[in-house]
Amino acid sequence: MTRHRIELPPLPPTPPEDPVRLVHDWLADAMEHSGQRHPNAFSLATADSDGRPSARMVLLKDLSLAHGYAVFHTNYRSRKGAELDSRADAAAVLHWDRLGRQIRLEGPAVRCPAGESDAYFATRPWQSRLNAWVSDQSQSLRDPAELAERARQKAQEFDLPDPAGSASPGKSAESGLRRPHFWGGYRLWFRAVEFWSEGTDRFHDRVRYERTLTPADHYSFTAGPWRWQRLQP
Ligand SMILES: Cc1cc2nc3c(=O)[nH]c(=O)nc-3n(C[C@H](O)[C@H](O)[C@H](O)COP(=O)(O)O)c2cc1C
């Protein structure tokens, strides 16, 4: 296993006007070169109504180049879901050690339109879809065996085979496995994006972009122009 740094282009002296394309390009570089199992994983920080922060990893599943938001999926009743219900502001970090790169994202995370969550849910393997029904994510669990039993019962409700067995359901049985209303996507809208590129002797390069976001509807914001500045390392 090689542990050396992979040299990729640094930030340009004059960064691009729109940072979202650069987020896309750094993600593409990470997919190809990072050697990480989940190069699209990011730490997502939320805060409760008293302002106490919490962070956990989630997967970036889509990036809107047109609007500047990232999509992740989760249980809406989980701790992060409850915290986002009370306060939509979130912050995220992507880090690729071998590439010497970090991206920070800040902004409101709002639920995706139901149709979009349905469409993504339908692409998941049937066992993952079943388990989305079974897990009350972030609630206490007395015995892990309870989950397997609940999965077996839920499979029966949906006329699906025992998930512990090797039988696969027919197409029509599978299609009955709809998305639970308590599970779906979030759009993390970028109010700020900051790139960090590892330099020598602590002279790292940082470029921070900011823009204003004004709520347009439940899912969207009207965005002002991006402004950028270099920051000291
Ligand atoms: C690499 C990685 C990726 C993960 N991706 C997701 C994800 O996309 N969605 C999710 O709900 N949990 C994901 N998890 C689990 C979360 O980190 C977390 O344990 C779970 O969502 C419960 O968090 P909460 O109690 O703060 O809501 C992932 C964990 C790891 C380590």
Side-chain angles (χ1 to χ4, degrees):
M1 168 93 173
T2 51
R3 290 184 189 278
H4 57 85
R5 161 116 181 256
I6 290 171
E7 291 296 335
L8 290 171
L11 287 162
T14 304
E17 261 176 47
D18 181 347
V20 187
R21 167 60 63 180
L22 197 54
V23 171
H24 171 274
D25 292 351
W26 278 26
L27 268 168
D29 285 343
M31 298 286 178
E32 195 173 337
H33 302 292
S34 75
Q36 287 170 219
R37 266 201 314 139
H38 298 294
N40 59 332
F42 65 98
S43 107
L44 172 79
T46 55
D48 68 14
S49 50
D50 293 324
R52 289 198 190 96
S54 66
R56 78 290 288 154
M57 302 302 289
V58 293
L59 297 179
L60 190 159
K61 287 292 185 174
D62 194 17
L63 177 70
S64 167
L65 284 171
H67 300 292
Y69 60 76
V71 175
F72 63 92
H73 301 90
T74 194
N75 186 310
Y76 288 142
R77 296 177 183 155
S78 63
R79 178 173 176 188
K80 71 183 95 48
E83 293 190 353
L84 290 171
D85 277 348
S86 71
R87 189 185 179 101
D89 284 310
V93 184
L94 295 124
H95 171 232
W96 304 286
D97 190 39
R98 287 178 72 188
L99 310 190
R101 283 177 171 178
Q102 166 184 262
I103 298 178
R104 296 167 65 172
L105 306 167
E106 290 156 35
V110 293
R111 292 184 189 193
C112 293
E116 274 180 28
S117 293
D118 290 341
Y120 172 72
F121 192 73
T123 66
R124 308 185 88 212
W126 73 273
Q127 290 95 337
S128 303
R129 281 185 276 159
L130 184 71
N131 291 347
W133 281 96
V134 166
S135 170
D136 290 331
Q137 193 178 53
S138 314
Q139 299 305 309
S140 68
L141 179 66
R142 261 177 301 143
D143 177 359
E146 271 179 38
L147 287 177
E149 177 51 25
R150 271 193 254 154
R152 206 183 53 77
Q153 284 174 11
K154 209 53 184 174
Q156 275 179 357
E157 271 177 46
F158 280 107
D159 282 330
L160 290 161
D162 184 340
S166 54
S168 49
K171 272 264 169 285
S172 71
E174 247 200 69
S175 61
L177 196 45
R178 66 189 184 284
R179 176 180 65 93
H181 61 277
F182 55 81
W183 193 99
Y186 280 95
R187 294 172 172 178
L188 170 58
W189 281 76
F190 306 161
R191 182 182 285 129
V193 179
E194 188 187 312
F195 300 90
W196 179 96
S197 175
E198 192 174 331
T200 43
D201 301 331
R202 275 212 88 256
F203 279 176
H204 314 302
D205 197 9
R206 293 173 67 189
V207 174
R208 181 174 171 87
Y209 289 79
E210 286 179 11
R211 65 177 177 177
T212 57
L213 291 177
T214 312
D217 58 35
H218 287 313
Y219 317 106
S220 310
F221 294 81
T222 306
W226 286 109
R227 297 173 310 271
W228 67 267
Q229 58 180 322
R230 276 207 144 74
L231 301 178
Q232 299 182 34

